[in-house]
Amino acid sequence: MNLPNKLTVTRVLLVPFLILIYMFPYDSAGITVPVYHVLETNISLVNIIILFIFIIASITDYFDGKIARKEKLITTFGKFADPIDKLLINTIFLLLASDQTINIIIPIIMISRDTIVDAIKMSAASKQVVVAASKLGKLKTVSQMIALGFLLVNNFPFTVLGVDVANALAWLATVISVISGIDYFLKNREMLTETM
């Protein structure tokens, strides 16, 4: 297995690890999780750990694609596993929705969009058509990552201003997600409807 694929597998394996860290019943186990108070913001050590893992995973996501293209290490497994990377982002959004940090509608829309786009890509692949990543798709991913960063630190440092920037960014990422999904559909509608 080449290095890019190893990095991809590592990110996939991080998903159950993140769920365990976030959902573990610390109180029942008699474990007191430190909470840091910074500029009127309470930030749990659990959230800091999740954020740290997420940042590392995001960096490896960037580098495995770059290495694969530069060293011509693009494989069938890599193409298959690449969409699975969305699992990490969507899982964190679902975890945040589970404790009502964000509205459950946000991850539902994002996961629905990803499912539709992946279906379009699979349909295209069956016809030997390559659906290139769009700028809107990349903007969607970047907006999700930024939103998650602020959500995991409980809107720091904007809590001082009393403005919920983190949730606003999550909704913005959701809107961009919808727009990019519509863009994928419109660009590929002829291929999808040719046999209707």
Side-chain angles (χ1 to χ4, degrees), residues 135-152:
K135 288 181 180 178
L136 275 172
K138 291 176 182 176
L139 178 61
K140 183 263 309 183
T141 302
V142 170
S143 66
Q144 286 177 321
M145 289 177 171
I146 293 170
L148 282 176
F150 285 110
L151 286 166
L152 287 169

PDB file of all heavy atoms in Angstrom, residues 135-152:
ATOM      1  N   LYS A 135     -14.891  24.083  -8.173  1.00  0.00           N
ATOM      2  CA  LYS A 135     -14.435  25.098  -7.220  1.00  0.00           C
ATOM      3  C   LYS A 135     -15.437  25.249  -6.086  1.00  0.00           C
ATOM      4  O   LYS A 135     -15.063  25.456  -4.934  1.00  0.00           O
ATOM      5  CB  LYS A 135     -14.234  26.437  -7.935  1.00  0.00           C
ATOM      6  CG  LYS A 135     -13.022  26.456  -8.847  1.00  0.00           C
ATOM      7  CD  LYS A 135     -12.841  27.801  -9.510  1.00  0.00           C
ATOM      8  CE  LYS A 135     -11.619  27.775 -10.428  1.00  0.00           C
ATOM      9  NZ  LYS A 135     -11.423  29.069 -11.139  1.00  0.00           N
ATOM     10  N   LEU A 136     -16.733  25.107  -6.425  1.00  0.00           N
ATOM     11  CA  LEU A 136     -17.765  25.192  -5.394  1.00  0.00           C
ATOM     12  C   LEU A 136     -17.651  24.026  -4.409  1.00  0.00           C
ATOM     13  O   LEU A 136     -17.874  24.188  -3.208  1.00  0.00           O
ATOM     14  CB  LEU A 136     -19.153  25.202  -6.031  1.00  0.00           C
ATOM     15  CG  LEU A 136     -19.692  26.552  -6.489  1.00  0.00           C
ATOM     16  CD1 LEU A 136     -20.975  26.367  -7.281  1.00  0.00           C
ATOM     17  CD2 LEU A 136     -19.930  27.475  -5.294  1.00  0.00           C
ATOM     18  N   GLY A 137     -17.308  22.841  -4.940  1.00  0.00           N
ATOM     19  CA  GLY A 137     -17.126  21.673  -4.084  1.00  0.00           C
ATOM     20  C   GLY A 137     -15.971  21.874  -3.116  1.00  0.00           C
ATOM     21  O   GLY A 137     -16.055  21.514  -1.936  1.00  0.00           O
ATOM     22  N   LYS A 138     -14.887  22.458  -3.613  1.00  0.00           N
ATOM     23  CA  LYS A 138     -13.727  22.739  -2.754  1.00  0.00           C
ATOM     24  C   LYS A 138     -14.063  23.817  -1.734  1.00  0.00           C
ATOM     25  O   LYS A 138     -13.658  23.728  -0.565  1.00  0.00           O
ATOM     26  CB  LYS A 138     -12.533  23.161  -3.610  1.00  0.00           C
ATOM     27  CG  LYS A 138     -11.970  22.019  -4.449  1.00  0.00           C
ATOM     28  CD  LYS A 138     -10.859  22.479  -5.366  1.00  0.00           C
ATOM     29  CE  LYS A 138     -10.356  21.317  -6.227  1.00  0.00           C
ATOM     30  NZ  LYS A 138      -9.337  21.741  -7.194  1.00  0.00           N
ATOM     31  N   LEU A 139     -14.824  24.834  -2.184  1.00  0.00           N
ATOM     32  CA  LEU A 139     -15.249  25.896  -1.266  1.00  0.00           C
ATOM     33  C   LEU A 139     -16.138  25.317  -0.166  1.00  0.00           C
ATOM     34  O   LEU A 139     -16.051  25.720   1.004  1.00  0.00           O
ATOM     35  CB  LEU A 139     -16.002  26.984  -2.038  1.00  0.00           C
ATOM     36  CG  LEU A 139     -16.548  28.154  -1.216  1.00  0.00           C
ATOM     37  CD1 LEU A 139     -15.418  28.910  -0.526  1.00  0.00           C
ATOM     38  CD2 LEU A 139     -17.356  29.095  -2.096  1.00  0.00           C
ATOM     39  N   LYS A 140     -16.980  24.359  -0.532  1.00  0.00           N
ATOM     40  CA  LYS A 140     -17.850  23.688   0.441  1.00  0.00           C
ATOM     41  C   LYS A 140     -17.020  23.020   1.529  1.00  0.00           C
ATOM     42  O   LYS A 140     -17.278  23.189   2.722  1.00  0.00           O
ATOM     43  CB  LYS A 140     -18.719  22.655  -0.291  1.00  0.00           C
ATOM     44  CG  LYS A 140     -19.728  21.920   0.572  1.00  0.00           C
ATOM     45  CD  LYS A 140     -19.305  20.565   1.084  1.00  0.00           C
ATOM     46  CE  LYS A 140     -18.773  19.604   0.076  1.00  0.00           C
ATOM     47  NZ  LYS A 140     -18.458  18.271   0.681  1.00  0.00           N
ATOM     48  N   THR A 141     -15.990  22.294   1.113  1.00  0.00           N
ATOM     49  CA  THR A 141     -15.140  21.583   2.079  1.00  0.00           C
ATOM     50  C   THR A 141     -14.403  22.559   2.989  1.00  0.00           C
ATOM     51  O   THR A 141     -14.349  22.367   4.209  1.00  0.00           O
ATOM     52  CB  THR A 141     -14.124  20.687   1.340  1.00  0.00           C
ATOM     53  OG1 THR A 141     -14.847  19.763   0.514  1.00  0.00           O
ATOM     54  CG2 THR A 141     -13.263  19.911   2.317  1.00  0.00           C
ATOM     55  N   VAL A 142     -13.846  23.609   2.403  1.00  0.00           N
ATOM     56  CA  VAL A 142     -13.116  24.611   3.198  1.00  0.00           C
ATOM     57  C   VAL A 142     -14.055  25.292   4.194  1.00  0.00           C
ATOM     58  O   VAL A 142     -13.704  25.479   5.364  1.00  0.00           O
ATOM     59  CB  VAL A 142     -12.450  25.670   2.275  1.00  0.00           C
ATOM     60  CG1 VAL A 142     -11.896  26.831   3.090  1.00  0.00           C
ATOM     61  CG2 VAL A 142     -11.337  25.028   1.462  1.00  0.00           C
ATOM     62  N   SER A 143     -15.267  25.644   3.745  1.00  0.00           N
ATOM     63  CA  SER A 143     -16.228  26.310   4.635  1.00  0.00           C
ATOM     64  C   SER A 143     -16.643  25.382   5.780  1.00  0.00           C
ATOM     65  O   SER A 143     -16.834  25.834   6.921  1.00  0.00           O
ATOM     66  CB  SER A 143     -17.451  26.796   3.861  1.00  0.00           C
ATOM     67  OG  SER A 143     -18.204  25.708   3.339  1.00  0.00           O
ATOM     68  N   GLN A 144     -16.768  24.088   5.495  1.00  0.00           N
ATOM     69  CA  GLN A 144     -17.101  23.113   6.541  1.00  0.00           C
ATOM     70  C   GLN A 144     -15.987  23.033   7.577  1.00  0.00           C
ATOM     71  O   GLN A 144     -16.239  23.002   8.783  1.00  0.00           O
ATOM     72  CB  GLN A 144     -17.332  21.730   5.928  1.00  0.00           C
ATOM     73  CG  GLN A 144     -18.633  21.587   5.177  1.00  0.00           C
ATOM     74  CD  GLN A 144     -18.762  20.226   4.528  1.00  0.00           C
ATOM     75  OE1 GLN A 144     -17.786  19.671   4.006  1.00  0.00           O
ATOM     76  NE2 GLN A 144     -19.948  19.671   4.542  1.00  0.00           N
ATOM     77  N   MET A 145     -14.749  23.000   7.094  1.00  0.00           N
ATOM     78  CA  MET A 145     -13.600  22.885   7.998  1.00  0.00           C
ATOM     79  C   MET A 145     -13.488  24.106   8.913  1.00  0.00           C
ATOM     80  O   MET A 145     -13.241  23.972  10.118  1.00  0.00           O
ATOM     81  CB  MET A 145     -12.309  22.713   7.194  1.00  0.00           C
ATOM     82  CG  MET A 145     -12.185  21.367   6.516  1.00  0.00           C
ATOM     83  SD  MET A 145     -10.680  21.261   5.523  1.00  0.00           S
ATOM     84  CE  MET A 145     -10.664  19.518   5.098  1.00  0.00           C
ATOM     85  N   ILE A 146     -13.685  25.288   8.344  1.00  0.00           N
ATOM     86  CA  ILE A 146     -13.620  26.522   9.138  1.00  0.00           C
ATOM     87  C   ILE A 146     -14.736  26.534  10.183  1.00  0.00           C
ATOM     88  O   ILE A 146     -14.507  26.844  11.362  1.00  0.00           O
ATOM     89  CB  ILE A 146     -13.699  27.766   8.231  1.00  0.00           C
ATOM     90  CG1 ILE A 146     -12.444  27.859   7.349  1.00  0.00           C
ATOM     91  CG2 ILE A 146     -13.861  29.038   9.069  1.00  0.00           C
ATOM     92  CD1 ILE A 146     -12.525  28.904   6.249  1.00  0.00           C
ATOM     93  N   ALA A 147     -15.945  26.174   9.749  1.00  0.00           N
ATOM     94  CA  ALA A 147     -17.089  26.139  10.673  1.00  0.00           C
ATOM     95  C   ALA A 147     -16.830  25.165  11.818  1.00  0.00           C
ATOM     96  O   ALA A 147     -17.072  25.484  12.993  1.00  0.00           O
ATOM     97  CB  ALA A 147     -18.358  25.750   9.919  1.00  0.00           C
ATOM     98  N   LEU A 148     -16.327  23.983  11.494  1.00  0.00           N
ATOM     99  CA  LEU A 148     -16.054  22.980  12.526  1.00  0.00           C
ATOM    100  C   LEU A 148     -15.020  23.486  13.528  1.00  0.00           C
ATOM    101  O   LEU A 148     -15.138  23.240  14.733  1.00  0.00           O
ATOM    102  CB  LEU A 148     -15.565  21.671  11.894  1.00  0.00           C
ATOM    103  CG  LEU A 148     -16.633  20.782  11.273  1.00  0.00           C
ATOM    104  CD1 LEU A 148     -16.009  19.572  10.605  1.00  0.00           C
ATOM    105  CD2 LEU A 148     -17.651  20.337  12.329  1.00  0.00           C
ATOM    106  N   GLY A 149     -14.008  24.181  13.034  1.00  0.00           N
ATOM    107  CA  GLY A 149     -12.975  24.716  13.923  1.00  0.00           C
ATOM    108  C   GLY A 149     -13.580  25.632  14.980  1.00  0.00           C
ATOM    109  O   GLY A 149     -13.317  25.476  16.185  1.00  0.00           O
ATOM    110  N   PHE A 150     -14.428  26.574  14.551  1.00  0.00           N
ATOM    111  CA  PHE A 150     -15.046  27.505  15.501  1.00  0.00           C
ATOM    112  C   PHE A 150     -16.092  26.830  16.384  1.00  0.00           C
ATOM    113  O   PHE A 150     -16.256  27.186  17.556  1.00  0.00           O
ATOM    114  CB  PHE A 150     -15.661  28.700  14.756  1.00  0.00           C
ATOM    115  CG  PHE A 150     -14.633  29.685  14.274  1.00  0.00           C
ATOM    116  CD1 PHE A 150     -14.355  29.812  12.923  1.00  0.00           C
ATOM    117  CD2 PHE A 150     -13.927  30.472  15.174  1.00  0.00           C
ATOM    118  CE1 PHE A 150     -13.398  30.715  12.478  1.00  0.00           C
ATOM    119  CE2 PHE A 150     -12.969  31.381  14.741  1.00  0.00           C
ATOM    120  CZ  PHE A 150     -12.701  31.503  13.385  1.00  0.00           C
ATOM    121  N   LEU A 151     -16.800  25.841  15.839  1.00  0.00           N
ATOM    122  CA  LEU A 151     -17.789  25.118  16.645  1.00  0.00           C
ATOM    123  C   LEU A 151     -17.125  24.329  17.765  1.00  0.00           C
ATOM    124  O   LEU A 151     -17.631  24.282  18.891  1.00  0.00           O
ATOM    125  CB  LEU A 151     -18.599  24.170  15.753  1.00  0.00           C
ATOM    126  CG  LEU A 151     -19.639  24.831  14.836  1.00  0.00           C
ATOM    127  CD1 LEU A 151     -20.105  23.841  13.773  1.00  0.00           C
ATOM    128  CD2 LEU A 151     -20.826  25.366  15.638  1.00  0.00           C
ATOM    129  N   LEU A 152     -15.991  23.729  17.471  1.00  0.00           N
ATOM    130  CA  LEU A 152     -15.303  22.894  18.467  1.00  0.00           C
ATOM    131  C   LEU A 152     -14.688  23.712  19.602  1.00  0.00           C
ATOM    132  O   LEU A 152     -14.456  23.184  20.694  1.00  0.00           O
ATOM    133  CB  LEU A 152     -14.237  22.020  17.798  1.00  0.00           C
ATOM    134  CG  LEU A 152     -14.789  20.845  16.965  1.00  0.00           C
ATOM    135  CD1 LEU A 152     -13.698  20.215  16.133  1.00  0.00           C
ATOM    136  CD2 LEU A 152     -15.437  19.805  17.885  1.00  0.00           C
TER     137      LEU A 152
END
